[in-house]
Amino acid sequence: PKIIAIVPAAGIGSRMQANKPKQYLKIHNKTILEHTLEQLLNYPHIDTIILAVAKNDPYLSTLTLLPHSKIQVVLGGDSRADSVYNALQNVDEKAWVLVHDAARPCITHQDLDKLIKITNPSGAILATPVIDTLKRSNLTQKIVQTEDRNQLWHALTPQFFPAKLLKQALQQAKNQGLEITDDASAIEQYGLQPLLIVGRSDNIKITRPEDLALAEFYLTQQHR
Ligand code: C5P
C-alpha cells in the first residue's frame, strides 16, 4: 500500500524556553523541521508528506524547501492528536500512515526500513527499552513502588498504522475526551495492540535546551 508521512509541527515547544517553536531552531544552518522533512523526502518508500502547522505560523515562509511537490501543508490543531487527525482528513483510507514528530530530526532510513516491514494489522511503533530504574510516586513525591522495567518502553516516532484505523481510533479518543500523547495510545484505547519495534536511541525528541547539542552531535555522527 501507499505510505503517507504525517508530520505534526503545530506545537509551540514551551519546554524549550526559546524565542520560537523548537522545530524552527537551527542545527548546522538548517531548521530542525527541515532536517526532519529532508530525511523523509529522501526515503524512497514515502509517497507524500502532510505537514500540520499552526495557524498563521510566521516561520513557515522561511522554509526554503517549500513549496514542494511531495509536501502538502495543512492546519494543525490544539493538541498533537488534533494535528494528526486534521492531516488524516487528506489521506486515502487504503493508505498506511507514518506519523513522525517534527522534533525528531535524527530519524534514520534504517529505522524506517524496520518499521514499514511490519504486517501487524494494528500497526507498529519505534520504541527503546527502558534502561533506568523507574519509580512510581504518590502525590507527595514519596516512592510507592518500583516498576518492572523489563516490560517498559519509551515510545518514539515514527508510528505506523493503516490510515483508516488511526482515523477511527483518534475519532473515538476525541469523542471520549481522552488525553492522547502519541498515536499508538489511541489505537490501544480502541482495543488493539500495536507492535513495538526496537529503534535507535539517537532518535531523540528535541524537547529541552540541552537536546539541541545532542541532536547536533548525532546528526554529525550520521554524516548528514
Ligand atoms: O510537545 P511535544 O514534544 O509532545 O510535541 C510533539 C510533536 O507534536 C511536535 O512536533 C509538535 O510540533 C507537534 N504538535 C502539534 N500540534 C500541537 C502540539 C504539538 O502538531 N497542538
Side-chain angles (χ1 to χ4, degrees):
K2 241 186 202 172
I3 299 176
I4 310 291
I6 291 179
V7 177
I12 54 166
S14 55
R15 286 167 295 185
M16 201 69 200
Q17 299 158 337
N19 59 353
K20 55 176 85 155
K22 59 185 175 184
Q23 60 271 26
Y24 292 112
L25 299 177
K26 284 190 176 176
I27 296 176
H28 295 154
N29 248 346
K30 229 187 283 174
T31 62
I32 289 169
L33 179 56
E34 284 169 312
H35 281 284
T36 303
L37 290 174
E38 281 183 6
Q39 192 64 352
L40 296 176
L41 280 171
N42 292 335
Y43 188 63
H45 305 293
I46 291 174
D47 191 75
T48 310
I49 300 173
I50 304 182
L51 176 66
V53 299
K55 196 173 177 175
N56 301 323
D57 182 340
Y59 303 102
L60 188 65
S61 59
T62 65
L63 292 188
T64 49
L65 213 64
L66 297 176
H68 191 288
S69 59
K70 286 185 91 172
I71 303 177
Q72 189 186 343
V73 180
V74 301
L75 211 53
D78 291 338
S79 67
R80 183 190 182 282
D82 285 335
S83 295
V84 173
Y85 185 79
N86 289 354
L88 272 170
Q89 305 314 309
N90 301 284
V91 178
D92 173 2
E93 294 206 332
K94 289 194 286 291
W96 278 60
V97 286
L98 193 75
V99 186
H100 185 59
D101 287 336
R104 290 187 192 269
C106 306
I107 179 65
T108 60
H109 288 180
Q110 178 195 8
D111 266 6
L112 289 169
D113 283 340
K114 271 173 129 178
L115 189 62
I116 67 161
K117 268 207 316 246
I118 66 107
T119 52
N120 183 21
S122 307
I125 75 172
L126 288 178
T128 51
V130 163
I131 52 175
D132 293 308
T133 298
L134 293 186
K135 306 292 187 187
R136 182 174 296 280
S137 70
N138 64 13
L139 292 174
T140 61
Q141 224 170 296
K142 290 220 171 91
I143 297 172
V144 174
Q145 197 181 309
T146 300
E147 300 292 332
D148 176 9
R149 71 178 176 201
N150 290 319
Q151 294 185 49
L152 290 173
W153 298 73
H154 293 277
L156 314 178
T157 74
Q159 303 196 346
F160 189 51
F161 307 102
K164 186 175 179 195
L165 171 62
L166 183 58
K167 203 166 158 182
Q168 287 169 339
L170 285 174
Q171 177 72 63
Q172 180 183 284
K174 227 168 146 75
N175 292 347
Q176 297 179 347
L178 301 171
E179 270 253 5
I180 294 264
T181 52
D182 77 341
D183 304 288
S185 34
I187 307 283
E188 296 153 36
Q189 305 277 6
Y190 199 63
L192 298 174
Q193 298 179 313
L195 198 62
L196 293 160
I197 303 290
V198 178
R200 293 167 55 123
S201 56
D202 60 2
N203 180 17
I204 60 167
K205 182 169 71 170
I206 295 177
T207 307
R208 291 164 298 210
E210 59 269 31
D211 296 332
L212 262 185
L214 199 53
E216 178 173 0
F217 173 73
Y218 287 144
L219 288 174
T220 305
Q221 271 201 326
Q222 292 174 6
H223 302 295
R224 271 197 258 154

